[in-house]
């Protein structure tokens, strides 16, 4: 929850928008969220809200019908524009991929969540992106490899990335260390079923689902 009272169940929205918004507000900056509809209703009002702003950051770039028009309007108003990316859709040969390229090429500056995404931006646009890693939710710990008698692992992510875990489980178990794996994502029957099917004492593997 931010000082503005906004919350999202989607981690990437919290990491790339809501937590940074709260920190900037705590530091005395005036920050607002301009929410939009896919069919461009309210676009004129959004453009009016850009007047007098020092900068506008386009995060979670899903609404291409809106974002590209807002970016053009901001630049006409001499408002600095930043395109922020935390997903790699640059290789998509569809409207989403085209939109990502448009925003990356036209924005005054680019920020990304990982060095990998910075390389992807450079490959696709020949532009340099600033890496701003995701913030922590809670106390920051020191990562270390110390499995002991059992490896305690956590997979936390969006369900669209779940196939990567499915492909990797056998590789992780090949290390020969008993593992307790917690899968934390959206509650989908196929994911819950997979967790149950792969929790096998014979494989020294316990898979627990948490929402």
């Amino acid at each position: 929850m931010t000082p503005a009272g906004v919350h999202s169940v989607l981690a990437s929205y919290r990491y790339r928008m809501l937590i940074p918004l709260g920190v900037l507000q705590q530091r005395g900056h005036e920050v607002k969220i301009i929410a939009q509809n896919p069919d461009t209703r309210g676009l004129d009002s959004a453009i009016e809200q850009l007047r007098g702003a020092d900068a506008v950051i386009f995060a979670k770039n899903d609404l291409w019908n809106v974002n590209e028009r807002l970016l053009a309007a901001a630049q006409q108003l001499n408002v600095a524009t930043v395109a922020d990316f935390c997903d790699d859709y640059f290789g998509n040969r569809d409207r989403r991929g085209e939109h990502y390229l448009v925003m990356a090429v036209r924005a005054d500056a680019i920020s990304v969540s990982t060095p990998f995404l910075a390389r992807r931006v450079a490959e696709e646009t020949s532009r340099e992106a600033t890496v701003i890693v995701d913030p922590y939710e809670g106390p920051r710990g020191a990562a270390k490899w110390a499995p002991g008698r059992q490896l305690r692992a956590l997979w936390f992510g969006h369900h669209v990335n779940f196939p990567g875990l499915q492909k990797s489980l056998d590789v992780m178990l090949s290390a020969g260390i008993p593992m307790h794996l917690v899968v934390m994502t959206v509650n989908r029957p196929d994911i819950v079923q997979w967790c149950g099917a792969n929790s096998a004492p014979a494989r020294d593997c316990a898979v627990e689902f948490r929402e």
Side-chain angles (χ1 to χ4, degrees), residues 4-5 14 60 68 84 92-93 95-96 100 104 123 140 151 155 166 172 197 203-204 210:
R14 299 195 302 272
K60 301 301 299 180
E68 293 172 18
D84 179 71
N92 287 30
R93 301 311 171 204
R95 186 63 179 94
R96 183 190 295 272
Y100 267 53
E123 290 169 359
R140 181 169 181 168
L151 172 63
W155 187 89
Q166 293 174 296
M172 291 188 288
R203 304 176 71 194
D204 287 328
R210 294 183 189 175

Side-chain angles (χ1 to χ4, degrees), residues 90 100-101 104-108 110 117-130:
F90 292 100
Y100 267 53
L101 288 174
V105 168
R106 295 181 183 174
D108 298 317
I110 305 168
L117 274 177
R119 292 194 298 271
R120 291 291 293 122
V121 169
E123 290 169 359
E124 296 289 342
T125 69
S126 298
R127 296 192 65 187
E128 182 177 353
T130 299

Side-chain angles (χ1 to χ4, degrees), residues 4 6 13 17-18 21 25 30-38 40-63 66-67 69-71 73-74 77 79-81:
V6 182
Y13 280 75
M17 291 192 296
L18 301 183
L21 178 148
Q25 288 178 327
E30 181 182 349
V31 187
K32 67 175 70 174
I33 295 175
I34 303 178
Q36 286 299 296
N37 298 295
T40 71
R41 286 176 296 162
L43 183 61
D44 291 340
S45 173
I47 292 174
E48 283 302 311
Q49 293 183 66
L50 295 176
R51 296 184 184 279
D54 296 312
V56 57
I57 302 169
F58 294 86
K60 301 301 299 180
N61 291 279
D62 297 324
L63 303 181
V66 173
N67 284 351
R69 294 171 64 178
L70 274 179
L71 186 142
L77 293 170
V79 177
T81 56

